[in-house]
Amino acid sequence: MQEFQHYIAGRFSDGVRQFDSLDPSTGSVWARMPDAGLEGVNEAVDAAERAFFDAEWAGMLPTQRGKLLYRLADLIGENAERLAELETKDTGKIIRETSAQIAYVAEYYRYYAGLADKIEGAHLPIDKPDMEVWLRREPIGVVAAIVPWNSQLFLSAVKIGPALAAGCTVVLKASEEGPAPLLEFARIFDQAGFPKGVLNVITGGAEVGATLTSHPKVVHVAFTGGPETARHIVRNSAENLASTSLELGGKSPFIVFEDADIDSAVNAQVSGIFAATGQSCVAGSRLLVQASIKDVFLARIKEKAEAVVIGAPNDMATEVGPLCTERQRETALLLIERSLAQGASLITGGAPLEGDGYYFPPTILDCSDARHADSLTQEFFGPVLSVVCFETEAEAVELANKTQFGLASGVFTQNLTRAHRMIRAIRSGVVWVNTYRAVSPIAPFGGHGLSGHGREGGLQAALDYTKVKTVWLRTSDEPIPDPFVMR
Ligand code: NAD
């Protein structure tokens, strides 16, 4: 049994109590995790506030902040194998994915390391002769970062990287489901040489999250998770008036026209929905396929889905591992049953696998005759693809936009002018054309509607962790003339 500690003010300690962490591939307890409790939240926020105002961090040159972030990126690279193993063990995400993703997480820190000394203010061409006016960009303060269990190292990097580059301090709450990789990350962070309290890493459930996000010293909440939790956070922000960035779920359309490169579209769709066992916010979970190619395309997807290697997440040969929790598996089953009752038909999969662990096979539902089925509107966060066919481009657009989410979309066509029309017409924060699931630290990412607001990645994300201070400097040596006339 492994035991983990949280990280507050540069020290590792136990929480107010401990809770069990389960191995999703067996369902048995493998580690004990620290619950921060209310005391831990308060300690962590106090530590972050002290560090924010302390000269060691507040007075540090941006270039030096960048150097520390570069060092952190190198340390992540050196420890990538261990981090990947822990993420796989605690969340069930397969080792092929965690290894590749964590190597790339280091690139996010490098990108923001490079940006640290490029967050510039501005000089204003002001309309008064004896004034110099300029804008300083200053860090906003203590940031609360909250992440779900899937891809925690990645989802925290897109918050910690820009926040520290801008000079903020952070309290990161790891998900109570699978927090091991972030608690281990804290140990790596500790070696990078940042002042104590600049990053604090705690874990615990909804109560810890709610206390953190409504804490009076927190000025911004960077949240990734589900829409229901986001509503709690926004309501709580009435307490501290913190700003929020919300990266929520999706029901992303994957649109295939009859002129598409079918081989590419098949592979992109299979990875778009079944990678990460479907537990991905950008999962291409609604396949909209042109009627003329529906049978051929579905046959190809079905064949691939049934050939997927399901197995232990720590086996390099595994392509689909277990879901993270029993609850996820029950949700997937419930939604499938409901959708079948609403008229959808099952093409493959549909029931959990027998035996230990939270395994669920790739599942495909044909909803062409059940266009109001729940599986077309509700996020599964599991390996379930819902299919609808369309006749015309206009119908494809209408179906694609028939959702309250607006995170991502994919369009497969070789017709250039159609691709441009689709890019304009689809309401989503990211559009991938003839590709899917590509990400980069250089490219902003985020959604609208039920998928949230704010963008992560790119330059703007670092600017979002700053506030503008307007400075007026009078350049005249003459006394101020009339005290009652505003200038
Ligand atoms: P969740 O909303 O239940 O939990 C996310 C985090 O919020 C956890 O750390 C949890 O402890 C915390 N939390 C729970 N209640 C809280 C409260 N009242 N106040 C503050 N924090 C609270 O989400 P989940 O089920 O763990 O994750 C799945 C969801 O995350 C899906 O909807 C998925 O689409 C979304 N997601 C989005 C992205 C993205 O980038 N857009 C990426 C990954 C996952």
Side-chain angles (χ1 to χ4, degrees):
M1 181 78 67
Q2 287 201 35
E3 302 221 343
F4 288 80
Q5 292 183 304
H6 57 206
Y7 179 60
I8 297 175
R11 283 189 300 277
F12 293 92
S13 56
D14 297 324
V16 288
R17 63 189 85 84
Q18 284 189 314
F19 62 93
D20 291 339
S21 206
L22 305 183
D23 175 343
S25 67
T26 60
S28 49
V29 180
W30 78 280
R32 305 272 296 151
M33 301 297 171
D35 186 326
L38 308 189
E39 295 91 325
V41 173
N42 287 331
E43 277 175 39
V45 176
D46 286 346
E49 194 202 34
R50 274 197 309 278
F52 182 73
F53 289 113
D54 192 279
E56 194 184 358
W57 181 246
M60 186 181 283
L61 292 174
T63 309
Q64 182 57 22
R65 291 202 300 265
K67 283 185 182 157
L68 291 176
L69 283 165
Y70 277 123
R71 170 97 185 105
L72 175 61
D74 291 345
L75 285 166
I76 291 170
E78 288 162 25
N79 291 277
E81 202 175 322
R82 168 142 183 79
L83 288 169
E85 281 167 11
L86 278 175
E87 185 161 13
T88 292
K89 181 78 181 167
D90 213 13
T91 69
K93 191 174 167 103
I94 62 172
I95 193 77
R96 267 160 84 155
E97 288 170 350
T98 54
S99 321
Q101 194 174 53
I102 288 164
Y104 203 43
V105 160
E107 294 308 315
Y108 277 77
Y109 283 104
R110 283 196 185 97
Y111 175 79
Y112 285 107
L115 268 187
D117 57 9
K118 294 162 195 73
I119 299 171
E120 296 174 353
H123 182 264
L124 304 188
I126 205 73
D127 56 346
K128 302 183 194 307
D130 57 352
M131 295 283 185
E132 287 291 331
V133 180
W134 69 93
L135 306 179
R136 285 170 53 81
R137 280 206 173 263
E138 299 183 348
I140 52 174
V142 175
V143 171
I146 309 241
V147 291
W149 77 81
N150 63 314
S151 309
Q152 293 191 61
L153 287 156
F154 176 75
L155 296 173
S156 53
V158 293
K159 299 171 176 56
I160 297 169
L164 299 194
C168 295
T169 56
V170 178
V171 177
L172 169 67
K173 190 192 89 60
S175 172
E176 67 277 33
E177 277 143 5
L182 284 185
L183 296 171
E184 181 65 17
F185 166 76
R187 296 202 168 267
I188 290 158
F189 182 90
D190 190 61
Q191 296 164 32
F194 286 88
K196 293 186 189 327
V198 163
L199 174 70
N200 306 273
V201 184
I202 59 173
T203 187
E207 197 191 11
V208 167
T211 309
L212 174 60
T213 54
S214 54
H215 197 290
K217 293 178 180 173
V218 164
V219 301
H220 179 78
V221 179
F223 173 72
T224 300
E228 207 38 58
T229 312
R231 288 193 182 96
H232 281 287
I233 287 175
V234 171
R235 276 195 286 270
N236 276 347
S237 70
E239 293 297 318
N240 52 7
L241 296 180
S243 55
T244 54
S245 55
L246 306 172
E247 296 290 347
L248 313 178
K251 195 74 205 176
S252 301
F254 187 104
I255 307 160
V256 186
F257 286 95
E258 59 192 1
D259 59 19
D261 171 343
I262 299 296
D263 290 343
S264 286
V266 166
N267 281 340
Q269 173 66 95
V270 167
S271 99
I273 180 63
F274 301 132
T277 318
Q279 301 165 108
S280 161
C281 53
V282 295
S285 54
R286 282 189 299 143
L287 167 61
L288 312 180
V289 58
Q290 200 150 23
S292 51
I293 56 161
K294 180 186 166 195
D295 291 345
V296 175
F297 197 77
L298 274 193
R300 295 278 305 275
I301 299 272
K302 178 174 185 284
E303 190 189 342
K304 290 250 179 191
E306 289 173 351
V308 153
V309 180
I310 303 174
N314 62 355
D315 184 339
M316 263 299 184
T318 296
E319 294 171 330
V320 166
L323 289 163
C324 182
T325 62
E326 176 71 49
R327 180 170 55 91
Q328 278 304 114
R329 198 164 69 158
E330 283 166 9
T331 307
L333 189 57
L334 191 77
L335 269 172
I336 290 171
E337 284 171 356
R338 216 189 287 157
S339 304
L340 292 175
Q342 289 163 335
S345 52
L346 188 64
I347 294 177
T348 188
L353 300 186
E354 299 281 320
D356 292 338
Y358 313 133
Y359 289 94
F360 206 100
T363 295
I364 305 177
L365 295 171
D366 188 350
C367 301
S368 294
D369 297 323
R371 293 186 174 210
H372 298 288
D374 283 2
S375 66
L376 288 173
T377 54
Q378 310 285 308
E379 188 186 35
F380 277 91
F381 227 53
V384 184
L385 176 65
S386 303
V387 185
V388 179
C389 66
F390 64 87
E391 299 284 347
T392 63
E393 188 180 309
E395 194 186 358
V397 170
E398 191 190 328
L399 286 168
N401 289 338
K402 207 170 148 193
T403 174
Q404 287 187 290
F405 291 104
L407 190 57
S409 57
V411 179
F412 277 75
T413 178
Q414 302 215 41
N415 180 328
L416 184 64
T417 52
R418 166 183 283 152
H420 277 280
R421 287 193 299 274
M422 294 298 289
I423 291 164
R424 282 191 216 138
I426 294 176
R427 296 195 290 267
S428 64
V430 181
V431 184
W432 285 297
V433 181
N434 295 330
T435 183
Y436 204 77
R437 285 182 96 228
V439 290
S440 161
I442 301 161
F445 174 85
H448 50 75
L450 271 195
S451 296
H453 57 245
R455 292 292 178 269
E456 292 187 323
L459 170 62
Q460 184 60 42
L463 297 181
D464 288 346
Y465 285 98
T466 66
K467 60 191 173 205
V468 166
K469 181 180 276 176
T470 308
V471 185
W472 290 79
L473 178 85
R474 186 162 176 259
T475 55
S476 168
D477 291 331
E478 297 299 315
I480 292 182
D482 183 345
F484 296 105
V485 176
M486 201 176 143
R487 304 188 69 232

